[in-house]
Amino acid sequence: ATFAGVGAFAAAQLALHAGLPILFGAVVGAAAAMVIGALAALPALRLRGLPLALLTLSLALLADNVVFPTSAIGGPPTGLTVPRPQIGPINLATESTKAFFVLALVVLALCALAVRRFQRGTLGRFLAAMRTSPLAASSVGIDLNRTKVVVFALSAALAGLGGALYGSLQQSITPVDFNYQFSLVFVVVVVTTGVRTVEGAIPAGVS
């Protein structure tokens, strides 16, 4: 949820103060979340299990209580207004969300294809080897730390993109929308529906 908040607030601020299209702001927000995700992964490289969970939870609490409430990021106490996209002559800023739903489906399909490509490529094979035996993977030359940072960054980018789209759908966001408690719910739902497959992520999102 923290990475989703980074994407949402970045996209909203760029749209409101720089006049950039919200979809371009969403891409920039995803990139910002990717950078934050890579930085957050660095202290977590040697942690597993409960210590890793506590570290990520503490980072989420830091964002909730210090970063997002600042006016430069989260805006005024009433929140930030996030515009709907306009694609050429098609204006999605209407009361109906049908057009936005189609846009979300297109983004979902593109993200699913990208994840599939990573799974079947070198990165996916590295992850499979690490999951089977980190020691064996390291012995054949796989850089475990680099792979972990890359995966963490890509995951954060997806969350940032989702957060920007969520904010645009809602048309208004506040720090409360990205509270750390939502992260706990997300983890439970994703693990329940299938954490290793794209098909599992879709019902998790619907849930």
Side-chain angles (χ1 to χ4, degrees), residues 26 39 150:
L39 293 176
V150 169

Side-chain angles (χ1 to χ4, degrees), residues 9 86 132 151 153 161 196:
F9 288 121
Q86 179 165 345
T132 302
V151 171
L161 180 60
R196 294 181 181 176

Side-chain angles (χ1 to χ4, degrees), residues 6-173:
V6 171
F9 288 121
Q13 293 285 6
L14 289 172
L16 292 174
H17 300 296
L20 296 177
I22 188 63
L23 289 181
F24 181 78
V27 174
V28 176
M34 181 170 64
V35 173
I36 299 298
L39 293 176
L42 295 178
L45 290 176
R46 298 186 179 278
L47 299 178
R48 298 184 66 181
L50 182 60
L52 176 59
L54 292 176
L55 174 63
T56 55
L57 181 61
S58 65
L59 293 175
L61 286 169
L62 178 66
D64 284 351
N65 294 284
V66 179
V67 180
F68 290 164
T70 60
S71 58
I73 296 176
T78 55
L80 288 173
T81 300
V82 188
R84 292 270 179 87
Q86 179 165 345
I87 306 173
I90 304 174
N91 188 358
L92 277 65
T94 62
E95 293 183 3
S96 173
T97 57
K98 292 180 180 178
F100 196 96
F101 178 71
V102 173
L103 172 65
L105 282 180
V106 171
V107 174
L108 171 63
L110 293 175
C111 290
L113 289 173
V115 172
R116 283 285 196 193
R117 186 176 180 86
F118 279 116
Q119 284 181 328
R120 295 172 178 174
T122 303
L123 181 60
R125 290 194 290 270
F126 283 179
L127 290 175
M130 289 170 57
R131 186 165 56 245
T132 302
S133 174
L135 184 60
S138 179
S139 67
V140 296
I142 296 176
D143 189 335
L144 303 184
N145 289 340
R146 180 178 178 275
T147 304
K148 289 178 182 178
V149 171
V150 169
V151 171
F152 216 103
L154 292 176
S155 302
L158 283 176
L161 180 60
L165 289 175
Y166 171 78
S168 183
L169 173 65
Q170 297 294 102
Q171 297 186 288
S172 178
I173 53 172

